[in-house]
Amino acid sequence: MKHILAPLVLFLFAGSAFAQQYPTRNITMLVPYAAGGPTDTVARVVAQSMGKPLGQTVIVENRPSAGGILAPEQAKNAKPDGYTILIHHIGMATTPALYRQLRFNPLADFEYIGLINDVPMTVIANEKVPAKDFKEFLAYIKANKDKVSYANAGIGAASHLCGMLLMSAIETDVLTVPYKGTAPAMNDLLGGQVTFMCDQTTNTTSQIKSGKVKVYGVTSAKRVASLPDVPTLQEQGLKGFEVGIWHGLYGPKGLQKPVLDKLVSALQEAVKDPAVQKRFADLGATTYPADKATPAALQQHLKAEIDKWSPLIKKAGVYAD
Ligand code: ASP
């Protein structure tokens, strides 16, 4: 019996020694969208800060796809050794209702590390759009339905969700142009190829402040401190309209406890980091307190968001395939 158990004991011991020493090399954080966009921006701020307590560099790797559906699948299939983690947003909660063939299950295939931040969205348009405010903008869209186009980052992206809700609130349908992230969508918006989009403040704040895009409102219930002059959509007549984006950090299922604990505590250090909080606040985002940067808080929030959005999406009858 002893000689049968010995290799197993050795194996378990080696595994836990490995987990105790973790991390001994760079960690890769997968980003489901294009470089330079809102999720990438959040990832880079958090990755840099987490690298300090972990004593290793956290490298951001963009794995963009429309709707952000490939990176979670890649994270799910990565070795559960703590060297591949995933940042994702509300898409983790909305894609299960939007895709019939999704190849990952947000509630079964991941370890939860914790919540990162909340980000409001803004309705913006290219500067050639003549409308001076949201009311005029709606009138402009309705009058030019066959000419205007709406950019987003694919079905399942935050920009898709916001656009879908906006179009249904104003009972209008326009041409949708999907990208692998709102960074390339923003380039086309600035170039005048597409008319408008609803995108996170983490991507739109600098363009709004420099006057390169027109802004027609924020999607939060209250105005955003970093954009105090921009009215909410609710203030401008869209009663009850509210879309908030949140980010969380995940790992593949099966991380050993010491590895998960180190990732959780590094994330908690990052959300407590004044430089992180300031950068997010400058971009209109709110950093979660450390007691929400936990596996339980993320799991609970994800579940609540799936329960909130699934019936609304099913009612809207939107499917990606
Ligand atoms: N988060 C996406 C990006 O980083 C945009 C979106 O979800 O709309 O490009």
Side-chain angles (χ1 to χ4, degrees):
M1 189 66 185
K2 225 159 89 195
H3 65 279
I4 301 174
L5 282 180
L8 178 67
V9 170
L10 252 180
F11 173 77
L12 289 176
F13 179 75
S16 83
F18 158 85
Q20 300 299 342
Q21 281 158 16
Y22 170 85
T24 56
R25 56 184 167 86
N26 293 343
I27 295 163
T28 300
M29 184 186 287
L30 302 183
V31 172
Y33 293 101
T39 309
D40 181 68
T41 298
V42 173
R44 283 172 203 276
V45 171
V46 171
Q48 203 200 6
S49 186
M50 282 180 72
K52 289 178 248 166
L54 288 167
Q56 294 290 342
T57 304
V58 180
I59 298 169
V60 169
E61 218 175 277
N62 300 84
R63 300 281 177 86
S65 63
I69 53 166
L70 288 184
E73 184 185 345
Q74 289 161 353
K76 166 192 161 180
N77 294 330
K79 208 166 153 198
D81 56 8
Y83 291 101
T84 306
I85 55 177
L86 168 78
I87 186 169
H88 208 331
H89 65 10
I90 192 171
M92 273 302 238
T94 56
T95 43
L98 287 164
Y99 287 79
R100 291 190 177 99
Q101 309 292 342
L102 205 61
R103 290 197 295 241
F104 60 90
N105 178 348
L107 291 173
D109 295 336
F110 300 93
E111 298 292 347
Y112 306 103
I113 298 171
L115 284 162
I116 303 171
N117 67 9
D118 279 332
V119 188
M121 303 190 84
T122 45
V123 176
I124 58 167
N126 76 50
E127 51 178 4
K128 285 186 237 144
V129 173
K132 285 192 297 297
D133 54 28
F134 187 58
K135 208 168 141 223
E136 282 190 24
F137 175 62
L138 293 188
Y140 176 81
I141 299 180
K142 289 190 178 186
N144 294 280
K145 252 192 342 219
D146 302 333
K147 280 203 306 232
V148 301
S149 57
Y150 162 61
N152 69 21
I155 294 184
S159 45
H160 163 258
L161 179 70
C162 179
M164 182 182 91
L165 296 171
L166 188 61
M167 292 300 103
S168 116
I170 64 171
E171 294 171 350
T172 306
D173 253 334
V174 299
L175 179 72
T176 302
V177 186
Y179 294 81
K180 287 185 181 175
T182 48
M186 179 68 89
N187 287 341
D188 277 6
L189 188 90
L190 293 169
Q193 285 95 312
V194 287
T195 318
F196 73 100
M197 90 174 150
C198 179
D199 195 19
Q200 296 162 76
T201 52
T202 32
N203 200 36
T204 60
T205 299
S206 63
Q207 309 294 0
I208 291 170
K209 289 198 164 162
S210 64
K212 292 200 183 113
V213 296
K214 294 234 164 116
V215 60
Y216 294 116
V218 291
T219 64
S220 41
K222 289 197 188 122
R223 289 194 184 198
V224 177
S226 54
L227 296 167
D229 301 332
V230 182
T232 66
L233 295 185
Q234 293 200 26
E235 266 175 68
Q236 301 178 91
L238 272 197
K239 293 281 164 263
F241 191 94
E242 188 180 351
V243 194
I245 304 311
W246 51 274
H247 292 90
L249 204 59
Y250 307 79
K253 193 92 193 162
L255 294 180
Q256 290 193 41
K257 182 146 188 335
V259 171
L260 180 60
D261 287 349
K262 280 186 191 166
L263 287 166
V264 172
S265 97
L267 178 62
Q268 290 176 337
E269 289 306 312
V271 296
K272 285 193 277 185
D273 183 344
V276 169
Q277 292 176 359
K278 169 149 192 341
R279 179 83 183 113
F280 285 162
D282 288 348
L283 293 172
T286 313
T287 312
Y288 273 102
D291 65 359
K292 295 283 181 208
T294 62
L298 173 56
Q299 187 175 19
Q300 220 175 49
H301 193 66
L302 174 69
K303 173 87 178 56
E305 286 280 288
I306 290 176
D307 292 346
K308 170 180 165 182
W309 289 108
S310 299
L312 293 173
I313 292 168
K314 286 196 174 122
K315 207 167 134 208
V318 182
Y319 284 105
D321 48 28

